[in-house]
Amino acid sequence: MPDNTNGSAIKEFVRLLCTHRKLNSVDFNEQVRRFFDDPARNNREYKQKFSEDTSAIFFTTSLTDAGVNSNLGFFPELKQRIKHRILPPVNEANFFSNLVAESFPKKEDYLLLDKLSNENWQKLVTIISSDQTTEHVLLSELDNALIILTHQYVSIGIDPYLIRKLPSADDNDSPFFDLNILLNEYIKQIRQVSVEEVFEALNECVAVFNYLKENRSTLGISLHLTFLIRRAEQHAERIKLLLKIRSAKDVKERVTLLRTLAVKIVGSELHRNSIRYFISENTGLLANRVANQTSAKGGDYIGFTKKENNRLLMSAMGGGLVVVLLVYIKHYIHLLNLPLLPEGILFGLNYGIGFVFMHFAHLTLATKQPAMTASYIAESIEQKGLTKDARKDLSVILAQIMRSQFISLIGNLIVVLPSCYFIAWSAIKFSGYHIFEKNIAEQYLVGNHPLLSGSLLFAVFTGIFLTLAGLISGYYDNKVVFSAIPKRIMHHPLLRKRVSTKKLEKFALLVSNNMGAFIGNMALGLFLGLAGNLGKFVGIPFDIRHITISAGNFSTAVAQGYDYPALFLAVVFGGVILIGIINIISSFMFSFLIACRSRYLTTQETWLVLASMVGYIFKNPRILIFRKEQVL
């Protein structure tokens, strides 16, 4: 084990890199070259010191731990990171952690290691290799790290949680046991085992986890399984990298691999307590599965033909009738003068039950489309790629989505606006009953005014809730598959005694097809119903504005016949339309960004695709009106 020196040689080198971080690559590397050519450092004593410090960095724990998830599990690891962010630990016994923390002032400074030229990396490796004792220590640490990582990898491969999904992974022919034996024989030279044999055994183990990823639509996925798969991937990547370093045939190849290793472990150490980095690293696969569930249903919300667009229009008109009922039920719940919490819960149940009814009656609420169709586009990106022709096809799909969205919105509004007006007008005409008192009518009108209220901001909040509801729906659709809920219903001992097999099958199928939609719709209803009352309770400007509900309230308020300036009513109506536009855009944007993230697209790639699609539509507005084959 290397001495715990203060690492002054490496600290000095890193300070040089940080001092010149703003220079371009050529000037940056010139400064580093001068640093190494300085007579004060180009001597045996300095090289030995630098070599000794390096051996302390490439110690077994840094090779096995940095950039590799612990075995704590997702939530315990997240909890630990939160605690460490509040009160960072003092790692006096961990020379590597202390050295990295003291040497790199900024988290992104590890990228300076990658900015070094191959020539300067060659100088570094030459200095490190100048001391034969240090080189022997490094090789020993490398072997120890490989053995430890392989043992850990095998334990992941035979984890009971994973075995439940793949029982064959735990039998006598398990590739994980073969890998463990081969690697130990290769390291200890018990018999002639080539590195190619070890790689072949490792690839067989990797195939097990790839199978889980590729078949997540039938096997399902959970947060814990996602964590296990990501941890296994990290182990496999590290084992491959260390094996390649150990078996490198020439200095140039070894230098390239050491560069990759140094950047990886230093960067991971600097992000060791990063909560965002950890969540991003370990939830992508689950997000992908959840987004896939919503994208699988996204095609149902897009009219690709005239017949499908007509169907969407009729479906949206039916949804508008349900919204009319919800608007009036909510108003009469409010007249009960209940406390804020029970009133909010009743508002939410009113909306939730209405949305669930729409789902089972195959009716459409226009603002629910974006969350589904955004994932559909992201899946299309995954299938088609990011080429120019692919982006053109995606633009046509976006145009079809926009056309379908417009049709659904019109379908909702052409029913909600006149129906609410007619009901309110009829109540006054035939019974003299005003559904809205003057103060309530004025409250609804002002509440939808784009300048006199926060309606446009509240419309963004609604977009967020619409996105969350879509994700919740996808999450529970995935849970139905992962937890084998239909099968468990079929084998429930009490149900099997009381219900016939045929009825039980129907119920299991009903749950399988509708559990996600039911919970997602109820969640959306509760979000929308509780938001305003929560804002009042806390005393902050927090509420929702939903296009169809706002349109119903506006129409009912106008029908009361109270005296309002025409300009005021026109601005409020414009505000209602703006609410709808913001509902749709915000919901689409949030859902699209999440869906793209779930498919591992970078932020730059996501915005490139979106800008390209929108730009193409502006240049070719005909695709908003005509179908793809008519345009092309």
Side-chain angles (χ1 to χ4, degrees), residues 449-489:
H449 196 289
L451 302 177
L452 301 180
S453 71
S455 60
L456 302 186
L457 176 62
F458 299 155
V460 175
F461 296 156
T462 306
I464 295 172
F465 288 143
L466 289 162
T467 301
L468 284 175
L471 292 175
I472 289 170
S473 179
Y475 174 82
Y476 278 97
D477 277 333
N478 167 70
K479 191 169 183 63
V480 166
V481 176
F482 181 80
S483 300
I485 289 177
K487 188 176 181 180
R488 289 160 75 172
I489 290 173

Side-chain angles (χ1 to χ4, degrees), residues 528-539:
L528 300 185
L530 282 165
N533 285 26
L534 177 63
K536 291 176 186 176
F537 178 76
V538 179

Side-chain angles (χ1 to χ4, degrees), residues 582-598:
I582 292 173
N583 283 164
I584 291 167
I585 292 176
S586 60
S587 176
F588 178 85
M589 287 300 299
F590 293 133
S591 301
F592 182 72
L593 292 173
I594 292 170
C596 287
R597 173 67 190 90
S598 76

Side-chain angles (χ1 to χ4, degrees), residues 301-476:
Y301 290 87
I302 306 173
F304 293 99
T305 65
K306 184 177 179 180
K307 182 179 179 180
E308 289 175 350
N309 283 327
N310 289 336
R311 176 183 57 79
L312 273 175
L313 180 64
M314 298 304 295
S315 175
M317 290 174 68
L321 284 173
V322 176
V323 170
V324 172
L325 185 63
L326 300 183
V327 167
Y328 283 109
I329 291 176
K330 185 202 171 187
H331 172 65
Y332 286 109
I333 291 173
H334 181 62
L335 294 182
L336 296 175
N337 294 315
L338 297 172
L340 289 175
L341 180 60
E343 182 185 66
I345 291 173
L346 287 179
F347 285 166
L349 290 174
N350 172 46
Y351 289 146
I353 293 170
F355 297 155
V356 169
F357 174 78
M358 287 187 202
H359 166 74
F360 283 106
H362 304 291
L363 305 178
T364 301
L365 186 67
T367 50
K368 284 188 64 184
Q369 286 176 274
M372 301 294 182
T373 54
S375 295
Y376 183 85
I377 288 183
E379 185 180 26
S380 299
I381 293 171
E382 189 176 37
Q383 294 172 351
K384 298 175 182 291
L386 298 173
T387 64
K388 187 176 181 180
D389 289 340
R391 294 202 299 269
K392 183 179 177 181
D393 288 341
L394 291 169
S395 302
V396 176
I397 293 174
L398 178 61
Q400 291 170 324
I401 289 172
M402 292 171 68
R403 184 168 60 243
S404 302
Q405 183 68 75
F406 178 75
I407 289 169
S408 297
L409 189 59
I410 291 298
N412 281 164
L413 292 182
I414 62 174
V415 170
V416 172
L417 286 168
S419 297
C420 285
Y421 185 92
F422 179 75
I423 292 171
W425 177 84
S426 299
I428 297 170
K429 181 73 174 177
F430 298 110
S431 65
Y433 174 69
H434 286 268
I435 293 176
F436 288 175
E437 298 295 334
K438 186 171 184 179
N439 63 321
I440 294 177
E442 186 170 335
Q443 179 183 331
Y444 279 124
L445 291 174
V446 172
N448 288 319
H449 196 289
L451 302 177
L452 301 180
S453 71
S455 60
L456 302 186
L457 176 62
F458 299 155
V460 175
F461 296 156
T462 306
I464 295 172
F465 288 143
L466 289 162
T467 301
L468 284 175
L471 292 175
I472 289 170
S473 179
Y475 174 82
Y476 278 97

Side-chain angles (χ1 to χ4, degrees), residues 603-615:
T603 303
Q604 185 178 2
E605 289 172 334
T606 301
W607 288 112
L608 171 66
V609 171
L610 190 60
S612 178
M613 289 191 299
V614 174

